[in-house]
Structures are given as C-alpha cells and as structure tokens.
Amino acid sequence: MLNFNFYNPTHIVFGEGKVAELDQLVPKNARILILLGGKSAKENGTLDEVTQALGNRYSEQFSGIEPNPSYETLMKAVEQVKSNQLDFLLAVGGGSVIDGTKFVAAAVFAKTEPWNILLTVGSEVTQALPFGTVLTLPATGSEMNNGSVITRKETHDKLYFKSKQTFPQFSILDPTKSYSLPPRQLANGIADAYTHIMEQYLTYPTNALVQDRFAEGLLQTLIEIGPSLMENPRDYDLQSNLMWTATLALNGLIGAGVPHDWATHMIGHEITALHGLDHAQTLAIILPTMLDLRREEKREKLLQYADRVWNINTGTDAQRINMAINNTRNFFEQLGIKTRLSAYNIDSKDIQPLLDRLEAHGMVTLGEHDTVNLTMSRKVLEASL
Ligand code: NZQ
Ligand code: ZN
C-alpha cells in the first residue's frame, strides 16, 4: 500500500425526509444563498422542502447553474454573495450545482482573478465560505469531496481544482430526491460512479487489500442494480444503494493508498468542452478503449477485475481481458449510453483539436505511470471513433 493522508470532514445525513434536518445543520443567523440548476429542484418539490426547513432564516436564491457549470454564470453568484453580504451557501442539485457552489465559496475570497483558482488547481485557496448540499443526482461524489470542475465558455476550458477549504460541511442524501431523474441522467450517474471506481482501482497491484475489495464491491453493486434501476427509478432501495455507492466511489476512501489513473476523465473533459457531450457519455466512450490499449500496463489488475468483478475465470489471459472489457462496454450500452464517438457525430477530423487542448492544458503525461502522452491519447481517440 502507498503512503497516504485521508481527510474528510463532510457530515452525511442519509435517508427519506432528511431535508428537514437543515434546521439543525444551518446556523440560525446564517445569511444564505441557495444555489440551483435549472428547473428540476423547483419542479420536484425539493426547493419547497428546503425553504420550509430553513424557516425564518434569511435566504436568497441563485438559479441557472448549467450542467458543466460555467465560470461566467458563477461569477454572477459571487457578485450576489458579496453585494448582499451572504455568508452560507446551500447547493441544491447535482454535481454541477455542487461544483459551482465550491467555486463560489472560494472565489468570494479570491485576491486575484478567480479563474486563477482553476489555473493553480486550488493551491492558492486559503479561505472559503461554509456550505452544505442537498443532492438530487447521484453521480459525481462531489457531495463528499473537495473537487470541482468548472468550464470557461469563452475559451472552452474545462478545468478542475480542489482545496482543503472546499469540502461540504454536510450533505443531505435523500434518495427520493432522484426519483424524477430522466433516464439519461440516471444512466449518466451510474456510468460516472463506475468510472470513478475504475480510475482508482484499475491500475497496478499494491497489496491494498481493503481498497481492492471495497472497489470491487462497489462495482458489483452498480452492475447488480444498474439495469433494474433504469426500469424502476422510483424504487427506494435501488436509489439508495446507487446514492451511497456514488458517494463512496469518490470520497477518498477507496483511493487512499493506491495509485490513480484519471486519464479517461482528462480526455473526457476535453470532449465535453469542445463538443458538449455529457460528462458520463465521454467516460463510457473512452474507458473501454483506454483499458484495451493499455492492457499490458494494467494486465494484473485487468485479470483481477475479470475474475472478481465479472466472474470470468476460463480462457487465456487475453481472452479474459477481452471479455472483461467487452462486459464493461456492454454495461454502459445496456444503460442506454452510446460508447462510440461516431454516435455523437465526432469523427477523425475532430481528434487533432482535442489533442491540442490536452497539450495546452499540460495533459501530456497522464495515467498511473505517466504513459498517456499525446501519442497514446491519439490512439485512444482513434480507437474510440
Ligand atoms: O439543472 P436542473 O434543472 O437541475 O437539471 C439537471 C441537469 O439538467 C438534472 N437534474 C439534476 N437532479 C435532477 C435532475 N433532473 C430531474 N430530477 C432531479 N432530481 O440533471 C442534469 C445534469 O445535472 P448535473 O449536475 O450537470 O449532472 P452531474 O451530477 O452528472 O454533474 C456533472 C458535472 O460534475 C462534474 C462533471 O465534469 C460535470 O461538470 N464532475 C465533478 C466531480 C467532482 N466534483 O468530484 C467528479 C466528476 O468526475 C465530474 O467531473
Ligand atoms: Zn466523473
């Protein structure tokens, strides 16, 4: 096992009806900004529940945080916080609203242009407003981590930052809040969580027995519940298992003491920034080809994945690996996510601009062994067409 620090201060409040606990979680004298996406939290009643739970506290709202939250929009929220001396943020939504809230929390105190928070990957953040979240879309794990991914529309940059200051104080996870998810977003959530686990699990063995078994258990849970959940999105048990799996997939626990990959995510972010695909769609396209092309580097873990996650234990090594990768692709397809670039009208002429963006962002030595250079990224993109 590798050396590690594990720090996670987020208080999780899980279960149906738990939004009411906002009354205990938010200070009585807080001046609150509730941050929202489009209409979903209004339409499914979550916003009403939130405002009711906040009672007489002073609160304002900021809505319109888009999927892949933009710097341009979020800077308007920063203005609102500053002009009205608000001192507590409450994100009500999915990963985009939560990521956006983390950015606003930090940007309020920025001493230089807030975009520098992204350019320095958060290293200059020394202070942030306290914030909590009410999660409506299980997917990103943002509700229990300190990471945030922000897009600058003007330049098509999609960059991330993290800081010790940007963990949510608390997150309310009420699985009934995701009953209203459209199939596409539900599938996206399952695929995103799945890929988060793979980015931290499918590297090389370090005798991290617990992390491996936890990761395998989370993957098997998604495989077990994914298709049924697509059929029964209002099933409490299925939704609650997805919600907790997605949170555990990226709260630092399975990633402590093990090598990480993240090459799939970094290439995926460029595809979203240039072509607007959903985050999870990019992962479902890139992950299977990434595993295939790096099968030598990842050989031992691919065989372990085949055996322990998919119960594949016959055939040659190459055959087992092929089957495990095919099963991964089929799992995404079964959820209704297309796993080829061509299905989204992206063709060979689009590859060079994606590589140019990776280069501009310094994404030239990705992966657990720094082997994903631009040549490898090109191969992955070409094989994903
Ligand atoms: O905007 P509204 O109307 O709220 O609709 C949203 C949005 O259109 C809708 N939605 C959310 N909850 C709903 C609902 N619709 C009906 N019922 C509900 N209960 O879903 C749409 C997508 O929402 P979004 O928040 O964008 O999705 P997701 O949670 O998948 O977040 C994606 C963002 O998170 C980033 C991604 O890059 C992307 O920008 N990520 C953040 C990470 C992190 N902080 O750790 C890690 C991830 O790898 C990822 O990069
Ligand atoms: Zn992700």
Side-chain angles (χ1 to χ4, degrees):
M1 201 183 309
L2 310 178
N3 296 338
F4 65 88
N5 278 336
F6 178 62
Y7 172 73
N8 195 316
T10 303
H11 173 184
I12 296 294
V13 182
F14 194 101
E16 183 166 11
K18 289 293 185 182
V19 171
E21 288 194 18
L22 279 171
D23 193 32
Q24 284 98 61
L25 294 162
V26 179
K28 294 273 183 231
N29 59 352
R31 291 176 57 80
I32 306 161
L33 183 63
I34 301 172
L35 295 103
L36 300 151
K39 296 202 175 90
S40 75
K42 280 193 194 95
E43 285 175 356
N44 69 12
T46 309
L47 181 61
D48 278 347
E49 252 182 81
V50 165
T51 47
Q52 211 180 338
L54 291 174
N56 293 329
R57 290 170 181 80
Y58 180 79
S59 75
E60 298 183 10
Q61 295 177 12
F62 180 86
S63 60
I65 298 179
E66 44 302 69
N68 308 305
S70 79
Y71 179 66
E72 290 85 347
T73 299
L74 296 167
M75 286 308 293
K76 295 181 192 153
V78 172
E79 273 319 301
Q80 189 172 339
V81 170
K82 286 187 181 172
S83 325
N84 301 345
Q85 282 121 41
L86 307 177
D87 58 17
F88 193 96
L89 307 181
L90 184 61
V92 180
S96 294
V97 173
I98 301 175
D99 281 9
T101 300
K102 291 174 181 175
F103 175 77
V104 173
V108 166
F109 296 103
K111 295 191 183 69
T112 59
E113 206 215 335
W115 186 247
N116 289 330
I117 294 173
L118 282 306
L119 295 179
T120 58
V121 201
S123 61
E124 287 177 9
V125 175
T126 53
Q127 201 180 352
L129 284 177
F131 67 97
T133 89
V134 176
L135 181 68
T136 64
L137 197 177
T140 63
S142 188
E143 64 278 8
M144 199 181 177
N145 70 38
N146 61 345
S148 162
V149 190
I150 306 297
T151 298
R152 193 162 186 168
K153 282 197 228 164
E154 189 196 352
T155 54
H156 294 279
D157 288 313
K158 181 170 167 104
L159 300 177
Y160 76 94
F161 81 97
K162 58 181 181 174
S163 160
K164 218 172 172 181
Q165 310 298 325
T166 52
F167 281 98
Q169 276 194 350
F170 62 81
S171 284
I172 297 182
L173 275 53
D174 175 346
T176 67
K177 296 294 159 252
S178 32
Y179 284 176
S180 56
L181 281 172
R184 171 169 146 192
Q185 299 304 340
L186 188 56
N188 280 349
I190 298 166
D192 193 21
Y194 196 93
T195 309
H196 293 159
I197 304 162
M198 294 291 274
E199 298 271 28
Q200 301 164 88
Y201 164 73
L202 222 146
T203 56
Y204 57 89
T206 54
N207 279 318
L209 303 187
V210 170
Q211 292 88 326
D212 276 7
R213 293 284 188 193
F214 276 8
E216 288 154 0
L218 296 175
L219 290 170
Q220 286 188 315
T221 303
L222 293 176
I223 292 165
E224 185 178 332
I225 65 176
S228 326
L229 194 47
M230 297 306 297
E231 299 284 315
N232 308 292
R234 301 177 75 89
D235 182 305
Y236 184 78
D237 289 333
L238 293 171
Q239 281 287 5
S240 50
N241 279 296
L242 172 62
M243 202 170 250
W244 191 223
T245 303
T247 301
L248 289 171
L250 198 52
N251 72 346
L253 187 66
I254 62 165
V258 297
H260 291 203
D261 186 336
W262 297 111
T264 294
H265 266 73
M266 294 309 130
I267 297 177
H269 287 170
E270 302 301 352
I271 299 173
T272 297
L274 285 190
H275 298 281
L277 273 65
D278 293 347
H279 172 62
Q281 292 170 336
T282 69
L283 307 176
I285 296 165
I286 298 297
L287 181 67
T289 22
M290 183 69 80
L291 297 176
D292 190 24
L293 290 173
R294 292 167 64 202
R295 57 169 60 212
E296 279 316 312
E297 188 188 334
K298 291 177 176 289
R299 190 161 186 279
E300 286 178 77
K301 269 311 200 42
L302 278 168
L303 287 167
Q304 182 178 326
Y305 171 62
D307 176 21
R308 293 200 200 167
V309 175
W310 292 105
N311 300 314
I312 299 166
N313 31 46
T314 53
T316 64
D317 287 2
Q319 285 168 335
R320 294 176 202 206
I321 291 174
N322 285 344
M323 279 173 74
I325 295 172
N326 285 342
N327 284 1
T328 309
R329 184 184 294 283
N330 292 341
F331 177 63
F332 295 146
E333 292 274 353
Q334 209 189 344
L335 297 172
I337 307 178
K338 297 270 172 278
T339 62
R340 291 284 171 192
L341 286 168
S342 51
Y344 303 88
N345 298 320
I346 297 176
D347 60 32
S348 52
K349 73 172 178 341
D350 298 311
I351 290 180
Q352 189 57 47
L354 288 166
L355 295 169
D356 292 343
R357 302 305 289 174
L358 282 168
E359 186 168 20
H361 294 142
M363 303 288 172
V364 294
T365 51
L366 301 171
E368 64 273 21
H369 291 299
D370 297 336
T371 51
V372 184
N373 53 22
L374 293 178
T375 308
M376 179 53 92
S377 292
R378 177 187 295 281
K379 282 188 191 163
V380 170
L381 287 163
E382 283 173 353
S384 303
L385 284 171

